[in-house]
Amino acid sequence: MEVTILVGSQWGDEGKGKIVDILSNKFDIVARYQGGANAGHTIVIKDKQYILHLIPSGILRKDVTCVIGNGVVIDPVALLDEIHFLESQNINITGRLLISQNAHLIMPYHKLLDSLKEGTDKIGTTGRGIGPCYIDKYARKGIRIVDLLNKEDLEKKIRRNLEEKNNLLKKVYYHEELDVDAIVKEYLAFDEAIDPYIADVSTYLNNQILAGKNVLMEGAQGALLDVDFGTYPYVTSSNPTSGGASTGTGIPPTKITSVIGIVKAYTTRVGNGPFPTELFDADGEKLRKVGAEFGATTGRPRRCGWFDAELLKYSRMINGIERAAITKLDVLGSFDKIKVCVGYELNGKKLHTFPTDIVRMEKVTPIYEILPGWNTDISNARSYDDLPSEAKNYLDFISEHSGFEISIISVGPKRVQTIEL
């Protein structure tokens, strides 16, 4: 029995979709534990690209059961679009997709308020209603999938919420009110569409673990976007760190056997917030262009910078990362020299802990070491021995300074462009 957590170790966009797909052939179940449709996981199989936002990437393996846990907030429109897309690609999900009855639903007012608020207070949200949905969840005003079972109770809860939301829309944002009856009708129709997939996910997962099944737990975003441990307030509204896997699925920590970190060979970030190694020159533009650094969900260009080993040391500590999958190593193949941040200075003094407050984070100066590049296309490498010595040295360097062992190396978006050590 193996229960492994796969966690994004930077600011998201590390390539979790591909790594989940690669690893899922060794697991019976893949469970998504937090986030919502603001995350996009991209998988390329035989030149065909699949972008998934809610359904775990393991769905592309025909023998894998996929689970959406209670920690995920679900947009009915996005979920149904994804189900229909997979069916159109002749991917059978019948009996292979389970959704927790305790997962909270993103309502139309969540998405509307998210976009209106972002217009006045720039955090860098995707506008998908994720934050407002989590706010209602913790304010004990949320609507869960299980609430769809009782029409009268559902209508009562929606009316209660809309009284508050419509008042806010009208008096603060000068926006027209939303229609209660239309929303109730829409969500009851959604209930009928997803009824075959609803399950007591926590009980299912724990029973499967007791039966000796292997479970891969998939997070969204990245550790430095964690609401508790990230660069607050420029974070997401949930816990992408490994601790969120237990609360987001109901699997107890005592059942976790390992944690794998997904690490991009350089650093990127979407939206606002501190980014010590960010590049504003031709090297940054090259990383963005060669790495196709544009959001799978929003299409926004990502901010790009050199690898930050100090950030990774912090991420390894808070997640318990034992081994890592390095992605997009091939993107660095056209650089003569590659920089790696090995620490920070603030006011002329070296810091000994990672600064999670943005006041200090925005003022730190990266301490760099420069490594020789390999100026070679490594996208056809299929074994560690195929890599040039400079690429091997780079991997050894970031492994040593970040404190993790490397077990997977990705040299391109396709399944075959993967080296397992």
Side-chain angles (χ1 to χ4, degrees):
M1 180 273 293
E2 183 178 349
V3 181
T4 296
I5 301 174
L6 201 63
V7 60
S9 305
Q10 294 152 305
W11 276 297
D13 308 308
E14 299 93 353
K16 291 178 290 296
K18 174 185 174 175
I19 303 302
V20 171
D21 175 61
I22 291 295
L23 291 176
S24 59
N25 67 335
K26 302 172 184 176
F27 289 83
D28 304 292
I29 300 164
V30 178
R32 168 81 179 272
Y33 62 82
Q34 52 76 227
N38 55 340
H41 292 174
T42 303
I43 308 102
V44 178
I45 303 172
K46 294 181 179 179
D47 296 322
K48 185 167 183 59
Q49 185 181 80
Y50 301 85
I51 298 178
L52 301 173
H53 301 275
L54 285 166
I55 298 175
S57 308
I59 200 71
L60 302 179
R61 301 279 186 179
K62 64 179 181 179
D63 298 322
V64 174
T65 299
C66 288
V67 169
I68 298 177
N70 57 276
V72 179
V73 290
I74 296 176
D75 178 354
V77 176
L79 178 62
L80 290 177
D81 282 349
E82 214 157 289
I83 289 173
H84 295 152
F85 167 73
L86 290 170
E87 290 174 341
S88 74
Q89 302 301 308
N90 297 316
I91 296 171
N92 180 26
I93 64 172
T94 304
R96 297 181 51 228
L97 176 63
L98 301 177
I99 303 171
S100 172
Q101 82 276 25
N102 290 330
H104 280 246
L105 290 167
I106 293 176
M107 308 298 290
Y109 46 79
H110 290 140
K111 290 190 280 188
L112 179 57
L113 285 169
D114 202 7
S115 61
L116 290 172
K117 182 172 175 55
E118 180 65 6
T120 60
D121 185 16
K122 293 288 185 183
I123 293 292
T125 174
T126 59
R128 304 299 169 103
I130 310 298
C133 185
Y134 276 115
I135 288 172
D136 276 1
K137 174 178 179 176
Y138 292 110
R140 298 178 295 280
K141 299 177 181 177
I143 297 189
R144 303 185 297 172
I145 285 179
V146 70
D147 294 324
L148 299 176
L149 297 176
N150 187 314
K151 181 180 178 181
E152 290 182 4
D153 191 47
L154 174 66
E155 186 171 348
K156 186 188 300 182
K157 289 182 177 180
I158 292 178
R159 285 190 184 280
R160 177 200 65 194
N161 285 357
L162 270 184
E163 184 177 351
E164 174 190 320
K165 308 302 183 189
N166 276 335
N167 193 42
L168 186 63
L169 286 170
K170 183 171 60 176
K171 294 183 178 180
V172 176
Y173 295 106
Y174 305 104
H175 195 282
E176 63 183 24
E177 297 183 358
L178 296 176
D179 188 306
V180 176
D181 295 326
I183 293 176
V184 171
K185 183 178 180 181
E186 176 187 353
Y187 278 73
L188 288 176
F190 168 65
D191 178 45
E192 291 184 16
I194 67 162
D195 188 61
Y197 308 109
I198 306 306
D200 182 346
V201 158
S202 297
T203 299
Y204 168 80
L205 287 172
N206 280 284
N207 285 342
Q208 294 300 304
I209 291 170
L210 287 173
K213 299 294 185 181
N214 297 322
V215 180
L216 182 63
M217 304 173 78
E218 172 188 4
Q221 289 94 30
L224 272 294
L225 292 176
D226 187 280
V227 70
D228 286 298
F229 296 100
T231 48
Y232 190 90
Y234 298 100
V235 293
T236 192
S237 302
S238 58
N239 295 107
T241 45
S242 57
S246 288
T247 55
T249 60
I251 296 176
T254 51
K255 299 296 183 183
I256 309 301
T257 56
S258 64
V259 179
I260 299 175
I262 312 300
V263 179
K264 192 178 286 187
Y266 48 99
T267 312
T268 62
R269 177 166 198 164
V270 171
N272 298 327
F275 185 171
T277 65
E278 184 173 9
L279 294 169
F280 301 95
D281 56 10
D283 286 338
E285 188 57 38
K286 184 192 287 190
L287 286 173
R288 184 178 299 108
K289 183 177 180 180
V290 177
E293 294 296 350
F294 299 90
T297 300
T298 63
R300 288 185 295 183
R302 296 177 186 137
R303 300 156 63 189
C304 297
W306 296 120
F307 188 88
D308 191 334
E310 190 69 10
L311 179 151
L312 261 298
K313 283 167 59 180
Y314 171 73
S315 185
R316 178 182 60 82
M317 176 186 74
I318 61 174
N319 287 293
I321 295 170
E322 300 150 345
R323 51 199 172 105
I326 302 296
T327 62
K328 291 200 168 183
L329 184 64
D330 54 301
V331 175
L332 296 176
S334 59
F335 287 89
D336 295 320
K337 295 179 181 179
I338 302 171
K339 291 184 179 181
V340 176
C341 172
V342 295
Y344 302 136
E345 284 185 351
L346 181 62
N347 299 325
K349 295 181 180 180
K350 185 174 181 180
L351 297 181
H352 298 289
T353 58
F354 183 83
T356 55
D357 61 295
I358 62 168
V359 174
R360 287 191 300 159
M361 190 73 173
E362 288 177 337
K363 293 180 180 179
V364 299
T365 300
I367 301 170
Y368 285 116
E369 290 204 25
I370 301 175
L371 282 71
W374 46 93
N375 269 323
T376 304
D377 180 7
I378 60 170
S379 61
N380 291 317
R382 297 296 178 265
S383 72
Y384 184 74
D385 290 338
D386 291 339
L387 296 174
S389 60
E390 293 86 354
K392 294 177 184 177
N393 291 337
Y394 180 75
L395 292 171
D396 289 342
F397 188 87
I398 64 174
S399 173
E400 177 185 351
H401 283 269
S402 302
F404 50 69
E405 175 187 336
I406 296 173
S407 58
I408 296 175
I409 304 165
S410 174
V411 294
K414 301 177 183 178
R415 276 180 178 172
V416 295
Q417 294 174 303
T418 309
I419 299 169
E420 298 190 56
L421 304 180

